[in-house]
Amino acid sequence: MYAIIEACGKQYKVEEGEVVFFEKLDVEEGKKVTFDNVILVSDEKDVQIGSPYVKGAKVEGKVVAHGKGKKIIVFKMKAKKNERTKQGHRQPYTKVEITKIKTAAEKATAPKEEKVVEKTEKVATTKSAAKTTTAKKPATKKTETK
């Protein structure tokens, strides 16, 4: 099974267990990353093509490391002016190991118990927040004396 995802302004073909180098992502090492912009998902049976993205498809990965790529020398020269500039550049990257490719069909078979627990916790927190906001007092008017 493989998928084509869109991340960091580029498109990548990824498979489960593969290590891919992305542009620098703001995620710590060891944390999970989820890519929602899945353009195509293909398994042995069929191919799902999105317009523009496949609904319900996600690719999950784990950040392995951050680093910098090979140094590139940028040399600029203007002829007959004795103007030369030399500059180096190392592009930062994030190394991600793809752990799972989820499709909409796999999500439907997943247990729904976890979602119910999260919803009840959210409702309890919103009720307590509402109680604290109702205790505001009206502002008092100041009177001026001459």
Side-chain angles (χ1 to χ4, degrees):
M1 176 181 250
Y2 72 91
I4 296 177
I5 62 171
E6 185 177 296
C8 308
K10 297 179 182 177
Q11 294 179 358
Y12 298 92
K13 180 182 176 186
V14 296
E15 296 178 12
E16 290 184 9
E18 186 179 20
V19 177
V20 184
F21 293 89
F22 290 99
E23 299 268 333
K24 177 83 171 156
L25 299 173
D26 294 333
V27 181
E28 296 177 13
E29 291 183 20
K31 298 280 184 174
K32 290 186 177 183
V33 181
T34 303
F35 300 101
D36 297 332
N37 297 343
V38 180
I39 297 171
L40 179 138
V41 176
S42 175
D43 56 358
E44 297 173 2
K45 299 173 187 172
D46 62 332
V47 176
Q48 296 177 7
I49 300 173
S51 59
Y53 304 116
V54 178
K55 290 184 180 178
K58 290 185 180 182
V59 175
E60 293 181 352
K62 182 179 132 188
V63 175
V64 178
H66 295 288
K68 290 184 179 180
K70 189 176 177 182
K71 188 163 205 169
I72 298 171
I73 305 297
V74 180
F75 185 77
K76 297 179 182 177
M77 183 186 100
K78 295 194 177 177
K80 302 176 189 174
K81 305 285 190 236
N82 196 20
E83 189 175 324
R84 293 169 177 84
T85 59
K86 183 178 178 182
Q87 185 180 16
H89 176 72
R90 294 180 69 188
Q91 186 68 28
Y93 66 82
T94 301
K95 191 176 178 180
V96 177
E97 180 183 359
I98 305 300
T99 56
K100 188 157 189 167
I101 299 173
K102 291 184 177 180
T103 59
E106 291 176 6
K107 283 186 176 181
T109 60
K112 296 181 181 179
E113 295 175 14
E114 296 175 13
K115 293 180 182 178
V116 174
V117 172
E118 292 176 8
K119 286 182 182 178
T120 56
E121 289 176 6
K122 288 180 182 178
V123 170
T125 57
T126 55
K127 286 182 181 178
S128 63
K131 289 179 182 177
T132 59
T133 57
T134 57
K136 290 185 179 179
K137 295 180 181 178
T140 58
K141 294 183 181 179
K142 295 183 180 180
T143 57
E144 294 182 21
T145 57
K146 291 186 183 181

